[in-house]
């Protein structure tokens, strides 16, 4: 894995929502690769966040970087075309939240987006068995979904190794993303376990202040230095 294969995806869950466009622009200018967009419905997870209108607003604001929509909603199919129309690049969902996983994955690609499955810490990987040719991204949760700022569960490292092996054996071009508790002091071990795409919410945005956008730059540089 070379440095350029690694992508850092700030989770805007920890951004200042009152100044979201500016926050996203600042973090991209500071060197982030993709925008991680957490969608919560107060049903599949016990929290409520943002939907397609906000994704569309970021595109209208001028954000051109890939937007990585992480659906924590149930059901998923109804909202997929809305996010595609709103400018999503990736759309990932939790297999437990869809009655027909193959159909949801196909729907995402039919709508012109890249598809992915998300695994909670206790969700088994067998959901991948028959769909490796239908996913562009596999996202492993290293916390239970619903909130930013939680502690990284170290059991995710063994799971990452397992998924990395599955991806290599499949021969498909699939990104392996990790989400939850990623910090400067653990990103290297996470990369060594096989991740190539790193969501970081509180690690990045809690370092910022409205007057000091350079702080995102400092954290992003430190994360990248660990990956070098
Ligand atoms: C949690 C979300 C994460 C969260 C990560 O359900 O999926 O993307 O924002 O936040 P940190 O990096 O603070 O753990
Ligand atoms: Zn997420």
């Amino acid at each position: 894995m070379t440095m350029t294969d690694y992508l850092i995806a700030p989770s805007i869950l920890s951004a200042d929502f009152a100044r979201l466009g500016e926050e996203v622009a600042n973090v991209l200018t500071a060197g982030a690769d993709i925008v991680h967009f957490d969608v919560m419905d107060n049903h599949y997870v016990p929290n409520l966040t943002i939907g397609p209108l906000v994704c569309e607003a970021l595109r209208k604001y001028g954000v051109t970087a890939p937007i990585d929509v992480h659906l924590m909603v149930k059901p998923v199919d109804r909202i997929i075309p809305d996010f595609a129309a709103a400018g999503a690049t990736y759309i990932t969902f939790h297999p437990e939240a869809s009655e027909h996983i193959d159909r949801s994955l196909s729907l995402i690609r039919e709508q012109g987006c890249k598809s992915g499955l998300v695994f909670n810490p206790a969700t088994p990987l067998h959901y991948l068995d028959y769909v490796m040719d239908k996913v562009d991204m596999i996202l492993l949760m290293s916390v239970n979904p619903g909130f930013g700022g939680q502690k990284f569960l170290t059991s995710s490292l063994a799971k990452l190794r397992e998924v990395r092996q599955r991806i290599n054996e499949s021969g498909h071009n699939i990104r392996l993303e990790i989400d939850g508790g990623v910090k400067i002091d653990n990103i290297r071990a996470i990369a060594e376990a096989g991740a190539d795409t790193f969501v970081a919410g509180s690690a990045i945005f809690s370092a910022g202040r409205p007057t000091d956008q350079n702080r995102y730059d400092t954290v992003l540089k430190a994360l990248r230095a660990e990956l070098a």
Side-chain angles (χ1 to χ4, degrees):
M1 195 80 50
T2 66
M3 262 299 269
T4 51
D5 292 323
Y6 291 127
L7 297 179
I8 297 182
S11 161
I12 58 175
L13 187 59
S14 294
D16 177 355
F17 277 110
R19 304 163 40 246
L20 191 58
E22 203 184 318
E23 286 271 81
V24 171
N26 283 344
V27 87
L28 289 168
T29 304
D33 301 297
I34 63 181
V35 179
H36 186 77
F37 192 105
D38 286 306
V39 185
M40 305 186 185
D41 67 349
N42 189 39
H43 169 68
Y44 179 65
V45 290
N47 201 354
L48 185 66
T49 59
I50 46 179
L53 284 176
V54 177
C55 185
E56 193 183 356
L58 288 177
R59 287 297 186 214
K60 284 188 178 150
Y61 185 78
V63 173
T64 55
I67 297 182
D68 169 30
V69 173
H70 173 192
L71 293 181
M72 288 162 274
V73 307
K74 185 178 183 175
V76 301
D77 290 3
R78 228 277 317 137
I79 204 80
I80 286 170
D82 293 5
F83 270 107
T89 309
Y90 287 92
I91 301 179
T92 65
F93 66 92
H94 291 247
E96 309 93 319
S98 173
E99 295 291 341
H100 307 282
I101 296 162
D102 181 280
R103 173 181 290 153
S104 303
L105 289 171
S106 300
L107 177 61
I108 293 169
R109 283 191 174 173
E110 280 160 24
Q111 294 286 318
C113 298
K114 292 179 180 171
S115 60
L117 282 182
V118 192
F119 295 83
N120 286 333
T123 305
L125 296 173
H126 65 68
Y127 289 107
L128 290 171
D129 287 352
Y130 304 103
V131 295
M132 288 299 276
D133 59 335
K134 295 200 166 145
V135 294
D136 300 294
M137 170 101 88
I138 297 168
L139 171 49
L140 291 194
M141 295 301 300
S142 38
V143 298
N144 287 291
F147 304 95
Q150 302 180 81
K151 198 174 155 0
F152 182 86
L153 298 170
T154 50
S155 59
S156 318
L157 294 173
K159 206 172 179 184
L160 275 172
R161 284 186 211 101
E162 223 179 300
V163 178
R164 172 49 63 196
Q165 195 179 339
R166 279 183 185 240
I167 291 173
N168 291 348
E169 283 168 6
S170 79
H172 292 293
N173 182 16
I174 302 172
R175 297 211 69 90
L176 177 48
E177 186 175 43
I178 187 86
D179 185 4
V182 176
K183 307 281 175 199
I184 295 164
D185 67 4
N186 62 12
I187 193 168
R188 185 190 304 224
I190 294 167
E192 281 166 2
D196 56 30
T197 306
F198 308 86
V199 176
S202 52
I204 294 172
F205 285 105
S206 66
R209 287 183 316 204
T211 51
D212 194 357
Q213 69 215 47
N214 291 333
R215 291 186 168 210
Y216 298 154
D217 195 65
T218 308
V219 184
L220 283 159
K221 280 209 178 81
L223 290 168
R224 280 204 207 281
E226 290 294 320
L227 294 172

